[in-house]
Amino acid sequence: MWDAVLARFERQAPASVMARLALERAMPAAWIDEVFETHRQRQYPRELLFSTVVELMSLVSLGLRPSLHAAARQMDHLPVSLAALYDKVRRTEPPLLRALVQGSAQRLEPVVSALGTAPCLPGWQVRIIDGNHRPASEKRLAPLRNQRAAALPGHSLVVYDPDPDLDLVTDLAVCEDAYESERTGVLPLLDSARPGQLWMADRHFCTRTILQSLQQGRADFIVRQDARHPRIVHEGPWHDRGRVETGQVLEQDIRLDEGQAPWRRIELRLDRPTESGESVLWLWSNLPATIDARQIADLYRRRWRIEGMFQRLESVLQSEIRSLGHPRAALLGFAVAVLACNLLAVLKRSVEQAHREQFPEGWEASPYHLAVQVRSRYEGMLVALPVEHWPTWADGSASTLAQRLLELARHIKPGQVATSKRGPKVKKTREWVDSAAARAHVSTARVIEASKGKRP
C-alpha cells in the first residue's frame, strides 16, 4: 500500500518527494546529533535533541510554519516546554553552525557533481566570500525594550561556490556582535583555502592579512582594490591587454614586499560608469599568466552571483526571522535557511538537467517556484506517507541519488517552474527628494481617480 501512495506523490508532487530525499541526504537527524556532540562546547543533550531544534527551524525557513513558536506548538511530542526550547535556541554555539553548513555541503557536493557541472574556470574551484548583516529584530528581549535605535542581532560571512559550478554555500562564519569587523570575522574561513581554489571578494577584503592568508594556503584570488589598499613597494609598467564587453583592460605587476613573487593588478576602464560614478576598477590577482587579464576581468563579474544567493535567502526562504531577537537564535535561523537554500539548489540543478534536451542552454528553473511546489504539498505528503515508511536514501551512493532525483524531476512540468525573464531595464533619472516629502502619504484611491482625468 505504501509503495502505491509513494508512487502517486512521485507523479503528482515530485518536488516534495525530491525535497524529502535531498533532506535525508543533507541533514539526517542522526548526523546532526553527531555534529552536535563533536562540536558542542557548553551545551549538552538531555530531553531535547539538537536535530529536533534544526527540524523545527527548517519548517520556519521553508515557510511551512510562520514562526518557531507555531512550529513547536504544532509538534506532536515536543519533549520540553516552549521556554526550554527557546533557551536551547539562544544558546546555540557559533562553531556548531559552521560545522552544520560545512558538513551538509560536503554531503551534497557529490550529488551535485553526479548531476553534472560546467566549471566557469576549468581546473579551479571558485569560492566567493561576502558578508550579510541581519536586519533589525523585534524588541522582545527585556534589555531592548527601552531602546529607540534598531536592534541588530549580528552578521555572518558566507563562502559560496557559484552556479554553474556547485551553487552551494560551502562555509559560514557568524558574528554575534553586529559591529564586529568583517575583516576580522573572515579570518577563520581562510583556514580552509587550499591549492586549486580561486577566491573572489569585494574591495572591503583587500587587506594584507587576508591576501597573504590566501597566498599561504596556496590558493589563488581575485580581489577588487580598496581605496586604502596595502602599501605597494614595486609597480611594473602598464600593458594593454585588449577589450572585454564592459571596457578596456590593462595590466601591471605589483609587489607588497621586496623578494615577494609579483602579483597582478588589472585595470578595467569602463565604457559606462557604475551607479556610484566610478569609471575605473582595479583588481588584484595572483593567478598564473596562463589566465589572461581579460579572463580575470570577466571572472570577477561572477562575484555578483553571491548577491543573488542572498536575495534568494530573503525572498524565497525565511532567513530573516524578526521575532528572534537574541543574536544566537537569529544566526541559527540564518544558518538553517542556508541549509535549505542548498537543498533548493540541488532541486534546481536536477530539474534543469532533466529537461536540458528539450530547452535551450539558457533555460533555468526558478528556486521560488520550486519552493512554492514544495510548500504546497510537502506537509500533506508526510501525513499520507509517515516517515517510518519512507525508503532510506541517506547512506546510498551519490550517483544513485542523483539518478533518482533526475527521474523525479522529469515529472515536473518545466513551464510551471521556469524563471520569468524580465525585459531590459529602463534608465531613469534619480531625482532628489527631501525628507519631509519622503514621510508624506497619499490615498491610493484618490491618486488613481485623479489620474483618470489626465489621460489623453
Side-chain angles (χ1 to χ4, degrees), residues 85-139:
L85 170 64
Y86 276 95
D87 194 50
K88 181 85 167 182
V89 168
R90 69 183 181 88
R91 283 183 166 82
T92 304
E93 295 149 344
L96 182 57
L97 302 183
R98 184 183 183 188
L100 275 178
V101 173
Q102 280 183 325
S104 179
Q106 290 169 3
R107 295 176 67 88
L108 287 176
E109 183 176 347
V111 180
V112 178
S113 299
L115 289 170
T117 60
C120 54
L121 185 62
W124 278 266
Q125 293 178 328
V126 178
R127 297 287 186 267
I128 304 175
I129 190 166
D130 202 0
N132 182 272
H133 286 254
R134 302 286 79 223
S137 68
E138 298 174 3
K139 299 174 183 178

Side-chain angles (χ1 to χ4, degrees), residues 134-139 144 147-154 178-179 322:
R134 302 286 79 223
S137 68
E138 298 174 3
K139 299 174 183 178
L144 298 176
Q147 297 288 332
R148 292 184 62 85
L152 305 179
Y179 293 156
R322 295 180 183 270

Side-chain angles (χ1 to χ4, degrees), residues 1 10 31 39 56 131 141 179 222 243 290 312 342 398 414 419:
M1 180 185 72
E10 289 175 353
W31 173 78
H39 294 88
L56 291 172
L141 301 179
Y179 293 156
I222 304 174
R243 285 188 55 81
T290 53
R312 291 195 297 273
N342 283 349
T419 54

Side-chain angles (χ1 to χ4, degrees), residues 119-424:
C120 54
L121 185 62
W124 278 266
Q125 293 178 328
V126 178
R127 297 287 186 267
I128 304 175
I129 190 166
D130 202 0
N132 182 272
H133 286 254
R134 302 286 79 223
S137 68
E138 298 174 3
K139 299 174 183 178
R140 299 188 177 192
L141 301 179
L144 298 176
R145 290 173 188 167
N146 295 326
Q147 297 288 332
R148 292 184 62 85
L152 305 179
H155 63 92
S156 56
L157 290 133
V158 170
V159 179
Y160 176 57
D161 190 321
D163 183 41
D165 288 35
L166 293 179
D167 194 17
L168 297 175
V169 175
T170 60
D171 207 349
L172 173 74
V174 297
C175 306
E176 299 176 57
D177 184 357
Y179 293 156
E180 182 179 345
S181 172
E182 290 183 350
R183 294 175 174 176
T184 302
V186 75
L187 297 179
L189 297 177
L190 304 182
D191 295 339
S192 62
R194 61 179 186 270
Q197 291 182 343
L198 171 62
W199 289 64
M200 292 194 287
D202 198 3
R203 53 188 162 189
H204 186 66
F205 299 98
C206 185
T207 68
R208 177 186 291 268
T209 302
I210 292 174
L211 298 182
Q212 288 184 342
S213 296
L214 293 172
Q215 181 86 355
Q216 290 170 3
R218 298 175 61 192
D220 297 303
F221 60 80
I222 304 174
V223 178
R224 185 176 171 184
Q225 175 180 297
D226 186 55
R228 297 182 179 181
H229 58 77
R231 186 175 67 88
I232 299 173
V233 300
H234 171 76
E235 296 184 29
W238 286 101
H239 301 281
D240 190 345
R241 300 305 188 195
R243 285 188 55 81
V244 292
E245 182 181 351
T246 53
Q248 189 71 22
V249 178
L250 294 88
E251 180 182 1
Q252 71 171 173
D253 290 339
I254 59 173
R255 289 186 176 89
L256 303 187
D257 299 301
E258 295 294 344
Q260 170 204 321
W263 291 346
R264 305 163 67 182
R265 178 157 67 172
I266 313 299
E267 179 179 297
L268 177 59
R269 298 177 180 175
L270 298 172
D271 297 332
R272 180 181 299 176
T274 64
E275 291 185 355
S276 57
E278 295 171 301
S279 57
V280 180
L281 305 180
W282 289 279
L283 307 174
W284 289 19
S285 179
N286 64 343
L287 280 167
T290 53
I291 309 299
D292 64 39
R294 292 175 298 175
Q295 193 172 1
I296 291 175
D298 283 332
L299 282 169
Y300 186 75
R301 296 176 65 185
R302 296 178 181 269
R303 194 202 71 81
W304 288 99
R305 301 202 172 202
I306 195 170
E307 304 294 345
M309 186 273 297
F310 285 143
Q311 194 272 336
R312 291 195 297 273
L313 280 173
E314 178 184 353
S315 61
V316 179
L317 301 167
Q318 307 299 321
S319 65
E320 300 178 355
I321 308 173
R322 295 180 183 270
S323 59
L324 298 179
H326 195 282
R328 291 193 174 186
L331 294 170
L332 171 62
F334 178 78
V336 174
V338 167
L339 298 175
C341 186
N342 283 349
L343 290 178
L344 285 179
V346 174
L347 267 61
K348 177 178 181 292
R349 181 66 58 89
S350 302
V351 173
E352 290 172 349
Q353 293 297 97
H355 300 282
R356 184 66 66 192
E357 297 179 356
Q358 306 173 24
F359 293 92
E361 189 67 25
W363 182 83
E364 291 185 23
S366 166
Y368 172 80
H369 291 298
L370 284 172
V372 168
Q373 289 202 359
V374 172
R375 292 190 193 108
S376 63
R377 297 176 181 177
Y378 187 83
E379 193 169 7
M381 178 185 68
L382 294 184
V383 172
L385 188 63
V387 175
E388 58 269 19
H389 296 288
W390 272 85
T392 302
W393 292 86
D395 299 324
S397 67
S399 59
T400 302
L401 178 57
Q403 290 300 318
R404 181 64 174 147
L405 291 174
L406 288 174
E407 292 173 4
L408 292 169
R410 294 187 180 97
H411 292 292
I412 295 179
K413 297 179 180 179
Q416 294 180 350
V417 297
T419 54
S420 300
K421 300 296 182 181
R422 60 166 293 169

Side-chain angles (χ1 to χ4, degrees), residues 17 26 327:
V17 180

